[in-house]
Structure formats: structure tokens, C-alpha cells
């Protein structure tokens, strides 16, 4: 059996869309909410013959990856997060690039020679990579209106991946992938009133209304930090809100803390300054449940007692003497 394992955000879903449009393959699908990245443990090692892994940190899945390779399972692994030390195996094909201006879908786009580049544009926008997204859109001759639509589409697909559980999401990622797989050209989603684009657009508008009035609880010359309540709408909007405020103040780092259902700790989204896209992964990895990439990272459980430590670390990292 072949397994397709992918992050439930825009980058993971769209990377797989591009691959399967180009190389159709019957597969068992494994995905989850955006923060659910230890996905390889859900692969049945005894029944797997091959595995494709997209947009989840190899570093967080190394033991399971090692087990698959030891069993002789062929693995194609494409990602842009912290990788750790790559296993040496002739069964592993790894396409890893940690550059801050790269995402998994852009890597797949390169691999496929731009075969489904419109989808890659949407994914890059969803991952808040506006510069490479605009560059690719221009290269393939998209109009301004088409580019703006793909920007919105990528944002909406990414927004849908955030939540403490699948119940928080408007559409479960596996189902969203299946629905989007009917549209080889993403621009055709606009005219189909039954498409997931319209469902997500409505949900996003309602959630965004609630977050725009929230002011930062901490601000200095290096960063802004926001706190969101323990509500499903807040969990859904947290990541895209982090991207939005990062674009509004590109010289600052940003943290968005969303209170978890246990009311004892927070899920954290961190965005490095857009003018200095480094360090988010280092900051988050200094906490037990943290990780990510240099430009954007997160912490799954930041205890209330560590909030001041986190805020200080975020601010200190981007002081001029440190960067």
C-alpha cells in the first residue's frame, strides 16, 4: 500500500494536489490539523510499500522514518522545516530546502517543471511568502485579479488548517484535499458556488470580525504579542492573523498566544520580522513542544508560567546587537 502523508495546511494540501494531478496514485491518506506533524507514526509499517511525505518536519518524525527505511519502504520526503540529520538510505529521496523564501509546494512546482504553477502560487501566498508568490505569478502571466484570487484562496486553505482538533475546522483536511482535487485549475473554484472556496470565505469573514479589535498585550521596538481567548474561532484564525499582523509591521516579530482548552497553557504562533526572516524556529524550539521554520514557527503548549520568558526571548532575539 502507498501512503500520502501531508500537513493539513495550504502548503501540505497543495503540494499533494500538484503531485497527484501529475502522477495519479491510489493511496491511503494521512493528515490532520496544521499542528499535528508527527504523522509518520500513523503509517502501518508492515503494510506500507512506499510513502510520500509532504510539509512535515523530518526532525519530528526521524524515529518513524528510520523504521520505514529499515523495513525497505521507499520514501519520498519533501519539506522546508527543520530536518535534523538526514538518514543515509537508498530508499530515501529527500527534497529539503530550509530557505526562508521556500515552501514545500514551490519545491514540488520546481520538481514538476511548473506543471501546476497556479496552485503553487496559492500555496506560497498561504504560507505568507508574498515575494516568491508574486514572482511566480508574474512568470506564468497571471493577471492582477487572478493573482489576488489565488492569494485569497491560499489564505483560506491555510486558515482552515488551524485548530486544536479536527472539530474546530470548517472542513477536515483530508476532505478538503478530496474536494480540491476536482479542480486542476484553481481559478475555476471562483465560479463554482458549491466549491470549498466559498465555504471557507464565509467562515473566515465571521472569524476575522472578532479578531480585528484585539490589541497587543505586549509591544516594544522589537515585537508585538497578542493573546486570543479559548474559543474555536480564535484557534482557527490564529495563524492567518499572525501572517496579517506580520505584513502590517514588517520590521517587528510577532507572537500570537491562543489559550488552550485546558486553560493552563497556550498554543503559540511566531512570525519573524518580514525584514529579517530568521530565528522563529530557534525561539520556539527552546520550548519542549516548539518547532517550525526560520520565518514562522510555533509552540503547541506554552505554560502560563513561561509566557514572560517567551515574550522576553522573542524581544531579546531581535535586538540589533543579536541580529
Amino acid at each position: 500500500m502507498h501512503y500520502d502523508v501531508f500537513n493539513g495546511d495550504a502548503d501540505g494540501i497543495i503540494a499533494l494536489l500538484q503531485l497527484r494531478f501529475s502522477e495519479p496514485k491510489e493511496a491511503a491518506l494521512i493528515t490532520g490539523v496544521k499542528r499535528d506533524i508527527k504523522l509518520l507514526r500513523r503509517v502501518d509499517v508492515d503494510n506500507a510499500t512506499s510513502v510520500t511525505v509532504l510539509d512535515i518536519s523530518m526532525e519530528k518524525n526521524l524515529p518513524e522514518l528510520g523504521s520505514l527505511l529499515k523495513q525497505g519502504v521507499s520514501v519520498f520526503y519533501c519539506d522546508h522545516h527543520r530536518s535534523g540529520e538526514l538518514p543515509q538510505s537508498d530508499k530515501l529521496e529527500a527534497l529539503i530546502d530550509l530557505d526562508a523564501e521556500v515552501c514545500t509546494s514551490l519545491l514540488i512546482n520546481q520538481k514538476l517543471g511548473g506543471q501546476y504553477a497556479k496552485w503553487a502560487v496559492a500555496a506560497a501566498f498561504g504560507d505568507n511568502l508574498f515575494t516568491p508568490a508574486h514572482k511566480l505569478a508574474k512568470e506564468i502571466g497571471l493577471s492582477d485579479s487572478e493573482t489576488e484570487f489565488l492569494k485569497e484562496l491560499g489564505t483560506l486553505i491555510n486558515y482552515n488548517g488551524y485548530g486544536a482538533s479536527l472539530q474546530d475546522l470548517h472542513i477536515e483536511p483530508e476532505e478538503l484535499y478530496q474536494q480540491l482535487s476536482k479542480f486542476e485549475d484553481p481559478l475555476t473554484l471562483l465560479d463554482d458556488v458549491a466549491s470549498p472556496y466559498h465555504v471557507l470565505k464565509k467562515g473566515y469573514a465571521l472569524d476575522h470580525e472578532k479578531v480585528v479589535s484585539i490589541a497587543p498585550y505586549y509591544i516594544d521596538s522589537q515585537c508585538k504579542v497578542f493573546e486570543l481567548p479559548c474559543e474555536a474561532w480564535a484557534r482557527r484564525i490564529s495563524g492567518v492573523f499572525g501572517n496579517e499582523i506580520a505584513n502590517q509591521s514588517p520590521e517587528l516579530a510577532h507572537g500570537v498566544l491562543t489559550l488552550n482548552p485546558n486553560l493552563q497553557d497556550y498554543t503559540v504562533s511566531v512570525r519573524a520580522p518580514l525584514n529579517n526572516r530568521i530565528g522563529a524556529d530557534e525561539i520556539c524550539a527552546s520550548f519542549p513542544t516548539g518547532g517550525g521554520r526560520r520565518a514562522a514557527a510555533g509552540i503547541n503548549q506554552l505554560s502560563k508560567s513561561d509566557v514572560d520568558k517567551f515574550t522576553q526571548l522573542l524581544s531579546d532575539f531581535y535586538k540589533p546587537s543579536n541580529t
Side-chain angles (χ1 to χ4, degrees), residues 99-149:
D99 188 275
E101 292 294 305
V102 166
C103 65
T104 305
S105 289
L106 288 175
L107 293 173
I108 295 297
N109 180 61
Q110 292 171 8
K111 177 181 172 65
L112 298 179
Q115 199 172 359
Y116 297 95
K118 293 176 191 174
W119 274 113
V121 170
F125 276 124
D127 238 19
N128 207 37
L129 299 178
F130 284 18
T131 298
H134 279 294
K135 181 174 182 289
L136 181 56
K138 185 175 181 180
E139 287 174 358
I140 63 176
L142 293 178
S143 67
D144 289 347
S145 62
E146 290 171 333
T147 301
E148 281 303 304
F149 172 72

Side-chain angles (χ1 to χ4, degrees), residues 1 9 24 27 33 38 57 99 106 143 147 158 160 163 187 221 233 264 282-283 287 309 313 319:
M1 179 181 293
D9 70 352
V33 298
K38 293 185 178 181
S57 167
D99 188 275
L106 288 175
S143 67
T147 301
N158 206 50
N160 183 71
L187 296 174
S221 56
W233 68 262
Q264 300 301 312
E282 292 181 48
I283 293 165
F287 296 90
K309 176 184 175 183
L313 185 61
K319 285 182 177 176

Side-chain angles (χ1 to χ4, degrees), residues 11-318:
D11 196 22
I13 290 173
I14 292 174
L16 184 59
L17 285 172
Q18 292 177 87
L19 266 183
R20 293 296 160 252
F21 286 143
S22 177
E23 305 165 8
K25 184 177 291 190
E26 195 167 315
L29 302 179
I30 295 179
T31 187
V33 298
K34 182 177 174 68
R35 294 297 180 93
D36 187 2
I37 59 171
K38 293 185 178 181
L39 295 175
L40 279 190
R41 60 189 175 188
R42 290 166 50 188
V43 173
D44 186 343
V45 179
D46 294 327
N47 288 326
T49 53
S50 57
V51 181
T52 294
V53 191
L54 301 169
D55 199 41
I56 59 172
S57 167
M58 184 183 289
E59 184 178 61
K60 298 291 186 180
N61 290 273
L62 278 173
E64 293 79 10
L65 176 59
S67 296
L68 287 166
L69 298 173
K70 189 175 180 180
Q71 284 284 101
V73 178
S74 298
V75 178
F76 171 64
Y77 208 120
C78 184
D79 187 43
H80 63 131
H81 300 90
R82 292 165 67 101
S83 61
E85 187 174 347
L86 270 64
Q88 298 302 306
S89 172
D90 59 3
K91 291 292 185 179
L92 175 64
E93 179 187 353
L95 182 54
I96 308 290
D97 190 337
L98 307 186
D99 188 275
E101 292 294 305
V102 166
C103 65
T104 305
S105 289
L106 288 175
L107 293 173
I108 295 297
N109 180 61
Q110 292 171 8
K111 177 181 172 65
L112 298 179
Q115 199 172 359
Y116 297 95
K118 293 176 191 174
W119 274 113
V121 170
F125 276 124
D127 238 19
N128 207 37
L129 299 178
F130 284 18
T131 298
H134 279 294
K135 181 174 182 289
L136 181 56
K138 185 175 181 180
E139 287 174 358
I140 63 176
L142 293 178
S143 67
D144 289 347
S145 62
E146 290 171 333
T147 301
E148 281 303 304
F149 172 72
L150 293 180
K151 178 180 177 181
E152 182 184 25
L153 177 64
T155 299
L156 292 174
I157 297 172
N158 206 50
Y159 150 77
N160 183 71
Y162 284 88
S165 67
L166 293 173
Q167 288 67 42
D168 282 341
L169 311 187
H170 294 296
I171 308 172
E172 292 190 11
E174 182 176 338
E175 174 62 23
L176 181 56
Y177 165 78
Q178 298 281 19
Q179 291 184 27
L180 293 174
S181 67
K182 300 171 185 175
F183 299 86
E184 282 199 19
D185 183 347
L187 296 174
T188 60
L189 283 151
L190 179 60
D191 294 327
D192 186 339
V193 295
S195 78
Y197 161 76
H198 294 283
V199 175
L200 297 180
K201 181 179 176 70
K202 181 178 179 181
Y204 177 77
L206 292 172
D207 288 349
H208 193 263
E209 282 181 10
K210 298 173 183 174
V211 78
V212 290
S213 62
I214 294 178
Y217 85 83
Y218 179 87
I219 183 170
D220 64 19
S221 56
Q222 283 77 239
C223 69
K224 290 181 183 179
V225 182
F226 293 75
E227 182 180 352
L228 304 186
C230 179
E231 300 285 350
W233 68 262
R235 294 189 288 271
R236 286 193 296 264
I237 202 73
S238 60
V240 173
F241 176 61
N243 291 342
E244 181 179 331
I245 55 180
N247 284 298
Q248 290 171 355
S249 302
E251 75 283 1
L252 297 179
H254 292 83
V256 179
L257 282 61
T258 308
L259 188 61
N260 285 329
N262 62 20
L263 306 182
Q264 300 301 312
D265 49 40
Y266 295 90
T267 295
V268 181
S269 292
V270 173
R271 300 292 181 267
L274 294 187
N275 295 343
N276 184 26
R277 297 170 71 97
I278 62 169
D281 56 342
E282 292 181 48
I283 293 165
C284 292
S286 65
F287 296 90
T289 61
R293 51 192 174 89
R294 296 199 299 168
I299 305 167
N300 288 340
Q301 294 173 292
L302 179 73
S303 68
K304 287 185 173 181
S305 61
D306 279 338
V307 168
D308 289 344
K309 176 184 175 183
F310 163 77
T311 304
Q312 194 64 53
L313 185 61
L314 184 66
S315 179
D316 287 347
F317 189 93
Y318 296 103

